[in-house]
Amino acid sequence: MDNRRSQSTGGRTGGGNATQGQYSPAGTSLNTLDWVVGIRIRATTILDETIVGQIYAYDPITCTLTILTGPTPGVAGPQDVRILKVSFLKDVTVIAPAPPGKKPGFSNAEPKIAYLNTSFIASRERDATKDEANRQMRVGKGVTKEGQDIFDALSRTMPCRWHEKQIVVLDSVMITEPYGQADVKSNDQNAAKRVKKVLEGERRKLESGRRTATPVSGERKGG
């Protein structure tokens, strides 16, 4: 066994002891660790948690180890996966080599490593970021619960946005605190009339809901 390979590999895959060097293929460069794919290990974390599983991937850039911890690794179907920072491990012990007949390397990993459409992922990320930004814009800062309830109710039928503590409806109508009909202001009288009508109905619904949810004081129970 090449002791230099064992020591160097142990340093790459764990913060403590490691005994996986004897399974490194002859002639494999220490700069590439794809040969560890498929090896079954027992890893102990710095929190003394023991994890047993099969190595699925090692990323030297993020220094993370991906382990399949399911009862039957390599079998088609859902797998339990743990992704661990190498610095989080204090001991790694090889308990079984890669399955016989399996060539080392990520291209031979089981389950197969699928192609990732990074453009699609980036698009999903942008959409999610935009949706979250829009959601945050719909939450008033420093407003009362009643004010937020009114905003949510109005925005179901009309475009609304917050301007400080004022509700802007249809980009032409302003509703100031405490968000009653008398607080509706606009240079567009038709738009103001429409908003007042909707506001009146929504406030009536909110008030009815509060009365239903609040028990009557002094209500007698029993016969």
Side-chain angles (χ1 to χ4, degrees):
M1 178 179 70
D2 186 343
N3 290 329
R4 289 174 301 174
R5 182 182 298 282
S6 176
Q7 292 171 1
S8 179
T9 305
R12 285 175 178 270
T13 56
N17 299 320
T19 59
Q20 63 272 49
Q22 63 266 38
Y23 294 111
S24 59
T28 302
S29 170
L30 292 179
N31 294 324
T32 60
L33 289 180
D34 59 352
W35 59 267
V36 302
V37 172
I39 291 177
R40 192 163 177 80
I41 64 169
R42 179 185 295 108
T44 304
T45 71
I46 58 177
L47 299 179
D48 289 326
E49 178 189 5
T50 299
I51 302 168
V52 177
Q54 188 179 73
I55 296 179
Y56 180 69
Y58 172 76
D59 185 354
I61 298 177
T62 59
C63 289
T64 54
L65 195 65
T66 303
I67 305 174
L68 302 180
T69 59
T72 53
V75 176
Q79 298 282 342
D80 296 326
V81 178
R82 295 287 298 271
I83 300 177
L84 304 169
K85 290 286 289 185
V86 170
S87 58
F88 190 64
L89 303 175
K90 70 176 183 180
D91 185 78
V92 177
T93 302
V94 174
I95 58 179
K102 290 287 186 181
K103 295 182 179 180
F106 297 123
S107 60
N108 299 298
E110 294 290 346
K112 293 295 184 182
I113 300 176
Y115 166 75
L116 293 178
N117 187 330
T118 55
S119 297
F120 176 74
I121 294 173
S123 176
R124 288 284 299 274
E125 181 182 14
R126 287 193 298 270
D127 290 344
T129 301
K130 182 179 178 180
D131 290 344
E132 178 60 20
N134 289 336
R135 189 189 71 80
Q136 290 293 334
M137 290 177 61
R138 296 169 63 85
V139 178
K141 305 299 187 293
V143 302
T144 62
K145 182 180 183 303
E146 182 182 54
Q148 185 64 56
D149 288 343
I150 291 173
F151 178 94
D152 293 339
L154 292 175
S155 63
R156 285 195 289 266
T157 56
M158 295 181 292
C160 300
R161 60 182 174 84
W162 286 103
H163 175 68
E164 297 178 349
K165 294 185 179 182
Q166 302 168 334
I167 301 175
V168 181
V169 188
L170 301 172
D171 279 331
S172 61
V173 181
M174 190 85 72
I175 309 176
T176 58
E177 293 183 291
Y179 313 111
Q181 284 185 291
D183 306 306
V184 177
K185 300 177 175 61
S186 176
N187 293 327
D188 187 336
Q189 296 304 312
N190 290 331
K193 184 178 180 180
R194 176 187 172 189
V195 171
K196 285 182 179 180
K197 184 176 181 179
V198 176
L199 176 61
E200 179 184 15
E202 295 299 343
R203 290 191 69 96
R204 189 161 49 242
K205 292 178 185 177
L206 292 172
E207 183 60 31
S208 176
R210 281 194 290 267
R211 284 199 302 267
T212 302
T214 305
V216 178
S217 178
E219 180 180 352
R220 294 183 60 186
K221 298 182 179 180

